[in-house]
Amino acid sequence: TINENEALSEVLKTVRTEDELKSIQVKTDFSQEACKPNATNMLMSVGPLKVLIREGENNEIGNANNRIELIRAFAKAQLLLKVESGVTEPASTEVSLSVSAPNSFYLLPGKEEEITPITTLFDTTIPGGSQPMNTELTASDYFFISDVVYLPERYLSTNTEENAIKYQITLDGNDYRAPIADNTTGTLDYNIKRNYAYTTIGTYAPETTVTLNWQVKPYDNVKVDVPTFE
């Protein structure tokens, strides 16, 4: 938890009300080098579950009508770069990512509010050569596929591109920035939500623009169109 010497199991023993449970915060413990949580196993929580219980009846929890859903406490993200048809791939590609995020998060999902203070979890070069985390995409279509990085839940009081987490991309000496976002509803959302996978796809055309689109879905993807990035 956010108290250094308190194990989560010990804190849970003291909980007496639903509000106390919803207020528990867990410290964001991240590996700078691996860009993922330090814990061997990713923390998961159970989403809201309503079950009608009648006296004298057996009530099965976890069947098709009231499934127990495990929700990962973190999101994950990946950058893919491709070129427009007929365009030569850039000779050099460098990608880095600096992630500033709350130093804690709520144990349970549902509290969509900004948490302070903010800390830099990692600021590092992101290597390429991976496979797309979205299995519907074809690796050969892209000249750069970043490693997958993990991100803690992050809600913004001012939900603007200025406050977004951004990839820093350098192609043949030209610099670009690509925010991590969700445009599924038609309005760009720069919040980072737990249990979601954020795929950012950039299309490169020298001397013009890098055009972005995003695919966002619970640890999978939904394709959306986004404005041109210059």
Side-chain angles (χ1 to χ4, degrees), residues 62 69 75 89 98 120 127 132 137 171 188 195-196 220 226:
E69 180 185 7
E89 295 179 4
S98 179
T120 299
L137 301 177
L171 304 174
L188 285 168
N195 204 61
Y196 276 74
D220 282 300
V226 300

Side-chain angles (χ1 to χ4, degrees), residues 181-189 214-217 222-224:
D182 180 3
N183 195 33
T184 305
T185 64
T187 301
L188 285 168
D189 181 2
W214 293 281
Q215 298 180 333
V216 181
K217 174 181 167 181
V222 173
K223 189 172 182 178
V224 294

Side-chain angles (χ1 to χ4, degrees), residues 1 12 16 33 35 37 57 66 70 76 101 104 111-112 125 132-134 146 150 159 212 214 216:
T1 63
L12 289 173
R16 295 292 180 266
E33 294 76 20
C35 303
E57 294 183 3
N66 49 50
L70 290 175
K76 60 182 179 180
S104 66
K111 279 201 170 187
E112 298 183 1
T125 299
M133 62 182 178
N134 178 2
S146 78
Y150 290 84
N159 193 357
L212 295 178
W214 293 281
V216 181

Side-chain angles (χ1 to χ4, degrees), residues 49-223:
L49 180 65
K50 294 183 179 180
V51 180
L52 178 61
I53 299 177
R54 293 189 178 94
E55 185 178 356
E57 294 183 3
N58 291 326
N59 296 274
E60 181 183 6
I61 298 176
N63 60 29
N65 296 320
N66 49 50
R67 292 179 179 175
I68 297 174
E69 180 185 7
L70 290 175
I71 300 173
R72 299 170 183 86
F74 295 89
K76 60 182 179 180
Q78 187 176 49
L79 174 69
L80 286 72
L81 298 175
K82 61 182 179 179
V83 294
E84 284 189 349
S85 179
V87 172
T88 302
E89 295 179 4
S92 63
T93 301
E94 291 184 11
V95 174
S96 61
L97 185 65
S98 179
V99 174
S100 296
N103 64 3
S104 66
F105 57 90
Y106 285 106
L107 172 64
L108 298 182
K111 279 201 170 187
E112 298 183 1
E113 59 185 44
E114 185 176 37
I115 295 177
T116 56
I118 300 296
T119 186
T120 299
L121 295 182
F122 56 85
D123 185 355
T124 186
T125 299
I126 305 297
S130 297
Q131 291 294 311
M133 62 182 178
N134 178 2
T135 56
E136 296 177 357
L137 301 177
T138 303
S140 59
D141 291 341
Y142 304 92
F143 67 85
F144 180 87
I145 301 174
S146 78
D147 283 359
V148 173
V149 299
Y150 290 84
L151 305 171
E153 190 167 63
R154 178 180 186 260
Y155 285 97
L156 301 167
S157 57
T158 305
N159 193 357
T160 61
E161 182 176 339
E162 180 182 1
N163 294 322
I165 296 173
K166 304 179 186 71
Y167 292 101
Q168 291 82 46
I169 307 167
T170 303
L171 304 174
D172 285 346
N174 298 313
D175 295 328
Y176 307 91
R177 291 183 182 271
I180 297 174
D182 180 3
N183 195 33
T184 305
T185 64
T187 301
L188 285 168
D189 181 2
Y190 301 104
N191 292 312
I192 301 298
K193 300 178 181 180
R194 68 177 70 193
N195 204 61
Y196 276 74
Y198 292 80
T199 299
T200 303
I201 300 176
T203 304
Y204 176 60
E207 301 178 1
T208 55
T209 62
V210 169
T211 302
L212 295 178
N213 71 62
W214 293 281
Q215 298 180 333
V216 181
K217 174 181 167 181
Y219 268 40
D220 282 300
N221 306 284
V222 173
K223 189 172 182 178

